[in-house]
Amino acid sequence: MIEILESGLFNTVQDLGRPGYRDIGVSASGAMDPLAVRIGNSLVGNDENAAVIEVQTFPFSLRFERRTVFAVTGTDGHPHLDGSELIPWCAYMAELGQVLELKQPPRLARAYISVGGGLDIPVVMGSRSTSLRGGFGGNAGRPLAKGDRIAVGEDLEIAMLPATGLAVIEPAVALREVFPAPVDGVLPIRALPAGEHGLFAGDGEAFWSQIWRISSRSDRTGYRLSGEPITPTATIEMRSHGVVPGVIQVPPGGEPIVQMSDANTAGGYPKIAGVIECDLWRLGQARIGARLKFVRSTHAEARAVEQAVARYVEDVRLTSGMVKRALKAMA
Amino acid sequence: MIATTNRHASPREIIPATQSRARVSSIGARSFLLEAPGDFDLIAQRRIWALSQTVRRWADLAENIPGMTNLLVIFKETPEDPDAVVVRLLEAWEHAQSIDLNGKTIEIPVRYGGEHATDLPALCDLSGLSDREVVRIHHEATYRVFALGSAPGFGYLHGLDPRIYMPRKTVPSLKMPKGCVTIGGMQTGVAMLTGPNGWNSIGFATLEMFDPTAQNPAVMAPGDTVRFLPARIEL
C-alpha cells in the first residue's frame, strides 16, 4: 500500500489509456506524457502500461507502507525521499514508512510516479486510467486526495535493483535529434493540416506563423490557445464526427483548442490541423502560459519520429532488464 | 491532405460535408475521416454502418468511430503511404452497400419545459412556433441512433423535424445538467454528463443510459430506435 499524505486538486491514477471505446463516447484518457509512463514503468520492471500516479498540482507526497521500488519520471524537478534529494528518471528503493515528496518542478508541467508491481487498481473497460468526465476508473473515478490508500501489485524483481538506483537518459536528451528544443522559449509542435484548413484561407497561414500561448482555461481535456484570432471564410456547422487527441479545433471565437488526453470523442467545430501523436507528450509537459508554434509536418516525418521513440523505449526496456539480471547473477 | 474539396457555405447554414463525392481528410498522422456526400439521412448512414463493418476487418486498423454520415478510422500506426489509405477508404465507400442494423426500441420519458428547458423560448423565437407545438413536434417523431460519441453513452439521434432545427450556441452553457433533452442543429439527444454544452435544452430525462461496469456499458447502439414519451409538460 501507499498512502497519500498531501495532494493538489487534479492528481490522478493513469496508464496509457482506454482506447477502443470512443465509438460509445468514452474518451481514451491516459497520461498526458505517455512517454514518461513507459520509461518509468520499464525502469521499475513493470509492463509499460502499468498504472502510475500523474502529478500536475504540487506539492504532492506519499508514504510507502512496505519496501517498494519506485521512479519519478517526466519532471525536471528533484523528488525527495525522507528529505534526501533524488534525481528524476531513476529507479530507487524505498523502505517501509519512507515519504516521497514532489515539489513544483522548475519548468515542466507533470511528474509520474511508477512503483514496482504497478498500482493495483481494478481495470474498468480495459484500463486503470481515471475517467474524470465519466467518474469511473482509477481511484474510484476521482482525483487523489489526502488519506487515500492505494494497493500496489506484487513486485517480482524487487531484489534486483542496484543499491544506488538505476537511471536512464531522459527522452528530451536522448531524443534531442527528433524533438527540437524550444527556440527563444517557443516550443515547436508538429502538426498536419486537417479537414477544414482550406476554409481559413489567409488565416490558415496566420495559424502556422504566429506564436500561441497556452491559456489558463486549459486542462487534461484540452488546451485553449490565446493569440490573434483566426476565422473561417464561412460560418459552418459540421456534422458531428469522431475526433482524437491532438485535433486542433477553432470555435467561433477564433482561438484554437487542442484536444488532449481526456479529449472529447466527437466534435463539430472546424478542424484546422492535427498534432502528430508523438509530439503530444511535449504539449502535455507544457505549462499554462507557455508559448508554442505549430510546425507543418508530414506523415513521413511522423513515422520517423514514432520509430525513433520506439527504438529508445525498447533500448531502455532491454538495458534495464539486462542490468538487473546481471546484478542478480552476481548476488 | 484532402482528397476532394467541394464546399460552399453561407453563414449559419448547416451544410453537408460535400455535395457530390465522399471526402477524406486526416486528423494528425494516423486518423482519417471519411465524410459521406449528400443529404443527412438514413440512406447515407446505412452506408456508413456498412463501411464501418468493412474497415473493422482491416488488420492495420485500431479503431473506427461512426459519426453522423461520416466515419473516423484510426490505424495502429502512421501509414507509410497516406494517399493509398485515402484511395482504399474511398473504394471501400464506393462498395459499401446500404445495410440496416437490427436495433432495439428505447423509450425515454421526458419532462418537457420546466427549469431545465432553458432554451425553449429561444427555439420558439427562431422557429416561430409556440412552445406546445415545439414539444409536440419533438415527441411525436421517431428517432434512429446514428452514432454514439461526445460523452459516454451519448447517442446522436436522427429524425428531428426540420421545423425545430436549431444551431448550436456560439457560447455554450457552462454547466448543463445531465439528463437535459437537447437539440443541436439537425440532431437531438440527451446530455449524459453535467458540464459545458452547446446544444439547446428543451426538457429533462432521468433514464440512466451508461454503466461502465456493465457488459455493454452504453444502453444505446447505432441502429436503435428512440421514442420520447412526454411524462410531463410544464409550459
Side-chain angles (χ1 to χ4, degrees):
Chain A
M1 283 279 185
I2 53 176
E3 185 187 350
I4 309 302
L5 302 181
E6 186 179 21
S7 178
L9 285 176
F10 303 109
N11 301 325
T12 52
V13 171
Q14 298 292 342
D15 56 18
L16 296 178
R18 183 176 286 114
Y21 295 97
R22 290 181 173 98
D23 62 344
I24 58 168
V26 175
S27 308
S29 300
M32 291 282 273
D33 180 353
L35 188 50
V37 173
R38 298 171 74 187
I39 298 302
N41 276 329
S42 294
L43 278 174
V44 301
N46 290 344
D47 180 276
E48 67 172 24
N49 191 30
V52 306
I53 296 173
E54 178 178 89
V55 185
Q56 54 179 18
T57 35
F58 300 85
F60 179 86
S61 60
L62 61 79
R63 182 191 291 121
F64 295 99
E65 295 187 359
R66 70 163 196 225
R67 204 166 190 235
T68 309
V69 174
F70 71 96
V72 178
T73 58
T75 183
D76 56 337
H78 289 272
H80 287 78
L81 187 67
D82 274 1
S84 321
E85 188 173 285
L86 307 177
I87 58 168
W89 304 96
C90 182
Y92 295 97
M93 179 83 77
E95 300 300 333
L96 184 153
Q98 285 196 298
V99 172
L100 175 68
E101 190 183 3
L102 272 57
K103 297 192 177 108
Q104 178 72 54
R107 205 169 41 84
L108 298 178
R110 293 175 173 89
Y112 293 86
I113 304 170
S114 25
V115 293
L119 299 178
D120 187 10
I121 273 177
V123 172
V124 180
M125 300 173 76
S127 166
R128 296 182 172 88
S129 280
T130 311
S131 172
L132 284 179
R133 284 184 78 210
F136 60 87
N139 182 45
R142 60 169 176 81
L144 294 164
K146 180 181 172 163
D148 283 343
R149 293 175 72 238
I150 298 175
V152 175
E154 195 183 354
D155 185 354
L156 301 172
E157 298 184 12
I158 191 154
M160 292 159 66
L161 189 79
T164 51
L166 181 63
V168 67
I169 298 174
E170 64 181 285
V173 176
L175 293 167
R176 60 158 65 103
E177 299 295 319
V178 285
F179 291 112
V183 179
D184 297 329
V186 178
L187 182 67
I189 295 292
R190 285 166 288 205
L192 303 178
E196 286 69 59
H197 185 276
L199 201 62
F200 287 86
D203 278 4
E205 284 320 303
F207 167 78
W208 298 99
S209 60
Q210 71 168 299
I211 291 165
W212 296 98
R213 190 178 284 274
I214 299 173
S215 109
S216 57
R217 292 179 307 146
S218 297
D219 55 21
R220 283 181 41 92
T221 300
Y223 281 9
R224 287 164 190 271
L225 305 179
S226 18
E228 198 55 48
I230 50 173
T231 44
T233 50
T235 310
I236 61 153
E237 287 211 21
M238 312 273 306
R239 293 176 185 171
S240 296
H241 57 79
V243 294
V244 289
V247 66
I248 307 172
Q249 300 166 314
V250 184
E255 293 190 316
I257 298 173
V258 191
Q259 294 280 330
M260 299 298 288
S261 292
D262 285 340
N264 211 329
T265 57
Y269 287 136
K271 309 171 287 300
I272 193 163
V275 175
I276 66 172
E277 199 173 1
C278 34
D279 272 10
L280 281 175
W281 71 272
R282 306 188 85 199
L283 262 187
Q285 285 293 3
R287 287 222 292 245
I288 285 165
R291 292 178 303 149
L292 61 93
K293 194 178 162 158
F294 293 105
V295 179
R296 239 181 240 259
S297 186
T298 62
H299 282 83
E301 185 178 37
R303 263 180 80 82
V305 179
E306 276 165 29
Q307 286 160 2
V309 170
R311 280 194 299 273
Y312 166 73
V313 172
E314 183 65 4
D315 189 43
V316 169
R317 202 181 61 79
L318 289 178
T319 312
S320 60
M322 254 174 349
V323 169
K324 284 192 216 162
R325 279 192 299 277
L327 283 163
K328 194 187 183 189
M330 288 191 297
Chain B
M1 168 197 29
I2 292 164
T4 61
T5 33
N6 190 346
R7 177 183 289 288
H8 307 280
S10 62
R12 302 315 304 168
E13 187 190 357
I14 297 167
I15 60 155
T18 55
Q19 304 297 333
S20 57
R21 297 176 57 195
R23 184 177 87 129
V24 177
S25 58
S26 61
I27 304 179
R30 64 183 181 109
S31 302
F32 293 77
L33 180 69
L34 180 138
E35 295 169 86
D39 289 336
F40 177 69
D41 60 16
L42 189 56
I43 299 164
Q45 193 66 17
R46 283 174 170 169
R47 279 184 72 194
I48 288 292
W49 291 335
L51 180 66
S52 167
Q53 293 189 353
T54 303
V55 301
R56 208 169 287 165
R57 294 192 291 267
W58 292 357
D60 51 352
L61 201 84
E63 273 181 77
N64 81 96
I65 303 151
M68 304 298 263
T69 69
N70 54 56
L71 185 75
L72 183 74
V73 295
I74 308 176
F75 290 89
K76 286 177 184 159
E77 52 181 66
T78 298
E80 229 174 309
D81 185 351
D83 294 334
V85 168
V86 173
V87 170
R88 215 166 124 205
L89 270 169
L90 288 172
E91 272 176 6
W93 166 252
E94 289 311 320
H95 289 110
Q97 302 286 327
S98 174
I99 58 160
D100 208 352
L101 300 176
N102 282 326
K104 56 190 178 296
T105 297
I106 302 163
E107 295 189 331
I108 303 176
V110 180
R111 198 172 80 216
Y112 283 103
E115 55 167 334
H116 294 300
T118 45
D119 305 299
L120 189 54
L123 178 51
C124 292
D125 286 348
L126 184 79
S127 61
L129 298 165
S130 71
D131 47 9
R132 265 176 210 288
E133 285 170 302
V134 168
V135 166
R136 185 181 55 77
I137 290 167
H138 189 263
H139 77 72
E140 280 185 356
T142 299
Y143 301 93
R144 289 299 291 277
V145 180
F146 266 24
L148 270 68
S150 177
F154 178 80
Y156 287 105
L157 306 182
H158 176 264
L160 190 67
D161 189 302
R163 285 175 291 172
I164 56 171
Y165 285 178
M166 188 176 187
R168 296 178 181 91
K169 297 178 207 178
T170 46
V171 181
S173 311
L174 280 179
K175 222 173 161 62
M176 185 180 283
K178 171 186 173 181
C180 282
V181 176
T182 54
I183 290 173
M186 50 176 69
Q187 307 165 142
T188 186
V190 182
M192 293 286 148
L193 300 170
T194 297
N197 198 317
W199 288 27
N200 307 281
S201 181
I202 61 166
F204 192 75
T206 53
L207 188 67
E208 285 295 332
M209 278 175 278
F210 186 79
D211 174 5
T213 62
Q215 181 72 28
N216 294 309
V219 168
M220 289 190 203
D224 286 353
T225 298
V226 170
R227 302 284 323 254
F228 291 108
L229 309 179
R232 250 164 83 188
I233 300 181
E234 296 171 23
L235 301 171

